[in-house]
Each structure stands twice: as C-alpha cells, then as structure tokens.
C-alpha cells in the first residue's frame, strides 16, 4: 500500500491502469474479499456487485477529494465513513427500487459495501491526498479491475456449478453440475487458482 | 479551540448533507419498493391461479389471505403466505388452496436464503410441482432418494433434506391455521 501513497503521478493514464493489473484490488491488494467470495455464485451477481461498488467508490472518491483540504485529520475516517455510507444506502435503495430481483439475490451484501476495505482504502491512500481528476481516474481504474475479477470469478463458478454463464446454457444436460462451485468452498478454490495464475503470468512476463 | 470548532462544523455539515441526500433518495425509492413487493405477491397469486381475474386481501389476525375469484366472480380458492425457518434463513412462500380447503393448488417461493445449487432448488419448478394437487390433510410428508409412494408425499431434494423438510413443515403449520380461520 505504502508505495501507492508515496507514488508521484507521472502520467495520468497510470492512475487509471494500475487498478486493472499492477494494483488490482483483488489479485494484488487482496481487499474486499467478503463480496468477492460471497456473491460470485453467478456472473450476473458478480457484475451487479461490481457496478454497485463502482458507483460507491467513484462517488466517494470524488466527494473526498473535493473536501480533502477542509477535513481535519482527527475526524477524516469518520467523515469518509459518513460519505461512503450515504452512497451505499443510495445504491441499495436504487437497486431495490429498480432491480428488485437482483437486489434480493445480493441480499445483505449491498449494505455491506460500507465496510468494503477497497473503498475506505482508496479514500485513505489516494483520494484524500490527490486532486479530483486523479482521484476519479484512480477510482474508475480500481472499479474496473474489481468488477472484471468478480465477473471472471462468477463466470467460472456459474459455468461449473450451474452449466451456464450469465444464465445462458453453455454446458449441456450431460454435464454433472459441480455443486461445490456454488458453495463458499468453490469461491476459495477458484480465487486461489486465479491468484496463482495471475502470479505465474506476472513472474513469466518479468523473466522475459 | 479553533480546531475543535472546525471538527464540529465539518462533521455537522457532512452529516446534514448526507441526511438530506438520504431523505430525498428514500422518498424516491420507497414507493417503488412497496410497489415491487406488491407486484411480487400479485405475480405469485396469478401464477398459482392462472384463471384468476381478481383477488381481495382479507386480514385475519396476523395472517393475510387472498380470496381469488375468476371472471364470473366464482371463487377459485385462497392464497396465503407461509413463513418459517429454513436451513440458512427464513423461507417465505405463497400457497394456493382450492375453495373446499381440501386440495392444494400449489406453492410459490417468495424468499429464501438456502444453499445455492442445493437448498435453493426448492424454488425450482420440479420441486414445487410436487405440491400441486396434494391434499391438505393428512400432513404432507417427504421421502429421501425415492419416488414418493404414499399419497401426500413429496421427494426431498438430494443433499437438501433440511430445506425440503422445512418447506413441508412451514406449509403444514400454515395450512392448519388457515383452515381453522377460514372454516369459521
């Protein structure tokens, strides 16, 4: 984390792209594991969760970077938390009002975005120290990185656990569903393999 | 001292803005959420009674019963909500019962938090269809890993006996209560 805080921004493109790979919130920072593991039983839920988190992260980062110079050090965490909680509640109401079935499937995990460490982490490490534009790029990058991994994780688990991806039938009736992929253990197994693959790819590209 | 004033004022302003935003959001969302919940009930009623034209909500103590009638105003039966504990959380379902109170029309699962891929299958068509046309007495029972032999028996979902059992128990309980209240 520390090297992220002290990094002096050379190119603004970097602020965006670091969330995709180099500082990916799930693979590298390993933050926000609760929604990552819990809601990725299906690709659609991963996508919805990613969108809700992206909304909260981007709005919070904007708000925090705007008021960063006004907030006294002692109460910055309290202030950030109030801001984050407000956006999370708005996102939750919005989903319940417009995407009722999805909101029911995601259950308590939407309100739980409040305690997602990616969001508070980005406010502490980035938005409270950087300008509005850079904070926006940082938040979008992190959101895209987070959502992409949730969709990937959800697709793999849905494919093996239900034989579908985004509710489209991929594997025929002959395929015996791996029930474990729909259970929490399946989330840990898949995430473990994905992080392993990620590290292997990184190592390979470094040695080249 | 100056810092204290600043701390208080910043927190107050942030709190006020956030409060206002939440009130606005709530005012926008709440009527829609209530409508969504009502729609869901309505959909369940019409799914249970495909010929239904209209239904009347009747409150009976703690329970709500929907009196369902067809085009000509003839009674098709009653729909009611049954709620209880499943394997991981509450299960809420709607059940339909014919006017003679002796035959079950079917069930619809409204809410459940069972294990995805296992217990969640209680909401699948295959499982629910087993309840269509069952008698309301004697009590509905379940068998494991076998085709139901005796009448009023359903086959439990493999690997999700507790969820299957919960559906039966919740349903049996509520059928008893509703029958008592309706036959009065």
């Amino acid at each position: 984390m520390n090297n992220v805080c002290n990094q002096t921004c050379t190119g603004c493109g970097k602020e965006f792209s670091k969330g995709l790979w180099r500082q990916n919130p799930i693979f590298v920072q390993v933050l926000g594991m609760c929604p990552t593991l819990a809601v990725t039983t299906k690709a659609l839920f991963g996508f919805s969760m990613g969108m809700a988190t992206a909304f909260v992260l981007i709005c919070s980062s904007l708000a925090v970077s705007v008021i960063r110079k006004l907030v006294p050090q002692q109460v910055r965490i309290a202030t950030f938390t109030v801001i984050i909680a407000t956006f999370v509640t708005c996102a939750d109401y919005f989903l319940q009002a417009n995407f009722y079935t999805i909101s029911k499937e995601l259950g308590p995990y939407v309100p739980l975005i409040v305690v997602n460490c990616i969001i508070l982490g980005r406010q502490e490490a980035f938005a409270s120290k950087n300008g509005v534009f850079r904070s926006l790029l940082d938040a979008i990058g992190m959101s895209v990185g987070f959502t992409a991994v949730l969709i990937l994780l959800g697709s793999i688990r849905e494919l093996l656990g239900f034989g579908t991806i985004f509710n489209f039938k991929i594997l025929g009736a002959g395929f015996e569903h791996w029930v474990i992929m729909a259970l929490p253990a399946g989330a840990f197994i898949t995430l473990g393999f994905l992080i392993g693959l990620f590290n292997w790819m990184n190592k390979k590209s470094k040695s080249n | 001292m100056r810092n204290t004033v600043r701390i208080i004022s910043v927190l107050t302003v942030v709190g006020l803005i956030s409060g206002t935003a939440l009130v606005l959001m709530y005012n926008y969302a709440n009527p829609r959420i209530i409508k969504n919940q009502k729609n869901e009930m309505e959909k369940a009623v019409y799914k249970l009674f495909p010929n239904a034209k209209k239904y009347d909500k009747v409150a009976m103590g703690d329970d709500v019963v929907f009196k369902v009638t067809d085009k000509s105003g003839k009674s098709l039966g009653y729909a009611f909500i049954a709620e209880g504990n499943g394997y991981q959380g509450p299960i809420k379902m709607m059940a339909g019962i014919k006017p003679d109170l002796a035959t079950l029309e079917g069930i619809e699962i409204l809410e459940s938090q069972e294990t995805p891929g296992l217990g969640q299958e209680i909401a699948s068509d295959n499982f629910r269809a087993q309840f269509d046309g069952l008698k309301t007495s004697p009590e509905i029972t379940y068998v494991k890993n076998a085709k139901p032999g005796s009448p009023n028996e359903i086959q439990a979902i493999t690997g999700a006996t507790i969820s299957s059992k919960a559906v039966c128990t919740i349903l049996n309980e509520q059928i008893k209560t509703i029958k008592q209240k309706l036959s009065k």
Side-chain angles (χ1 to χ4, degrees):
Chain A
M1 280 303 266
N2 246 334
N3 65 331
V4 188
C5 318
N6 303 333
Q7 220 171 41
T8 46
C9 174
T10 39
C12 280
K14 256 191 180 160
E15 300 299 2
F16 169 74
S17 66
K18 69 174 188 286
L20 305 184
W21 189 271
R22 210 159 33 82
Q23 289 290 333
N24 186 288
I26 296 176
F27 287 157
V28 181
Q29 305 183 51
V30 200
L31 290 177
M33 284 299 108
C34 165
T36 307
L37 297 167
V39 304
T40 51
T41 47
K42 290 192 171 176
L44 179 65
F45 304 151
F47 172 75
S48 322
M49 189 67 204
M51 284 294 116
T53 310
F55 166 77
V56 175
L57 180 54
I58 293 168
C59 294
S60 306
S61 280
L62 276 181
V64 166
S65 63
V66 168
I67 63 165
R68 69 186 189 282
K69 287 182 182 138
L70 299 171
V71 181
Q73 275 294 306
Q74 296 92 324
V75 292
R76 65 182 195 288
I77 300 285
T79 316
F80 298 164
T81 311
V82 171
I83 293 172
I84 294 167
T86 308
F87 286 121
V88 170
T89 313
C90 286
D92 188 29
Y93 280 152
F94 180 81
L95 282 178
Q96 283 188 45
N98 297 306
F99 300 95
Y100 190 62
T101 25
I102 290 180
S103 127
K104 259 176 65 183
E105 289 288 350
L106 294 178
Y109 294 105
V110 175
L112 277 176
I113 296 175
V114 173
V115 290
N116 188 327
C117 13
I118 295 171
I119 297 177
L120 193 58
R122 286 336 284 167
Q123 311 315 320
E124 252 304 80
F126 203 91
S128 59
K129 301 189 174 78
N130 288 281
V132 176
F133 186 60
R134 280 186 181 180
S135 300
L136 180 66
L137 286 176
D138 173 75
I140 296 175
M142 289 291 160
S143 304
V144 174
F146 183 67
T147 310
V149 177
L150 287 197
I151 295 175
L152 181 64
L153 204 54
S155 304
I156 296 173
R157 291 180 65 192
E158 189 181 343
L159 181 67
L160 297 175
F162 300 90
T164 57
I165 289 181
F166 278 107
N167 294 330
F168 287 114
K169 201 131 204 91
I170 307 276
L171 297 171
F175 175 72
E176 183 70 38
H177 296 175
W178 302 8
V179 172
I180 194 165
M181 293 311 269
L183 300 177
F188 282 104
I189 293 169
T190 318
L191 184 66
F193 274 110
L194 283 178
I195 292 185
L197 181 72
F198 179 86
N199 287 340
W200 177 75
M201 280 159 79
N202 267 347
K203 224 173 164 180
K204 229 182 135 190
S205 71
K206 244 183 222 156
S207 62
N208 277 351
Chain B
M1 186 59 205
R2 268 181 63 198
N3 200 33
T4 315
V5 173
R6 203 168 135 206
I7 287 175
I8 294 172
S9 44
V10 165
L11 282 178
T12 311
V13 171
V14 170
L16 278 177
I17 295 174
S18 128
T20 318
L22 286 182
V23 168
L24 292 177
M25 193 63 201
Y26 181 80
N27 284 343
Y28 155 80
N30 201 41
R32 283 161 196 255
I33 296 170
I34 292 172
K35 213 177 100 200
N36 285 340
Q37 285 164 346
K38 200 176 150 239
N39 275 350
E40 193 184 32
M41 295 269 176
E42 206 160 77
K43 243 169 65 191
V45 171
Y46 288 127
K47 238 175 136 181
L48 286 170
F49 298 94
N51 296 326
K53 182 76 192 154
K54 108 186 192 356
Y55 66 91
D56 297 303
K57 207 168 155 180
V58 195
M60 294 184 155
D62 299 334
D63 300 290
V64 177
V65 176
F66 302 90
K67 273 171 90 172
V68 188
T69 44
D70 69 1
K71 270 195 302 236
S72 55
K74 204 183 85 193
S75 173
L76 287 170
Y78 306 91
F80 57 88
I81 289 176
E83 213 170 349
N85 286 328
Y87 180 54
Q88 282 179 330
I91 297 178
K92 190 174 171 187
M93 60 189 144
M94 183 173 274
I97 190 168
K98 288 204 158 68
D100 59 359
L101 305 184
T103 317
L104 213 53
E105 192 74 42
I107 61 165
E108 285 289 327
I109 306 290
L110 297 175
E111 262 165 50
S112 64
Q113 285 149 25
E114 305 304 288
T115 322
L118 289 172
Q120 213 46 290
E121 294 296 303
I122 56 169
S124 71
D125 292 342
N126 283 343
F127 181 73
R128 284 185 300 103
Q130 300 191 76
F131 290 88
D132 299 356
L134 287 190
K135 295 282 170 235
T136 54
S137 90
E139 287 200 338
I140 298 163
T141 51
Y142 65 95
V143 282
K144 279 199 241 181
N145 302 324
K147 287 267 163 274
S150 36
N152 266 23
E153 212 167 57
I154 58 135
Q155 185 182 350
I157 297 160
T158 315
T161 315
I162 297 179
S163 304
S164 315
K165 183 184 161 190
V167 173
C168 294
T169 318
I170 296 165
L171 196 57
N172 285 330
E173 284 289 291
Q174 194 66 4
I175 287 177
K176 238 189 281 168
T177 324
I178 292 291
K179 262 168 89 173
Q180 243 171 30
K181 286 188 174 167
L182 281 175
S183 50
K184 255 182 212 160

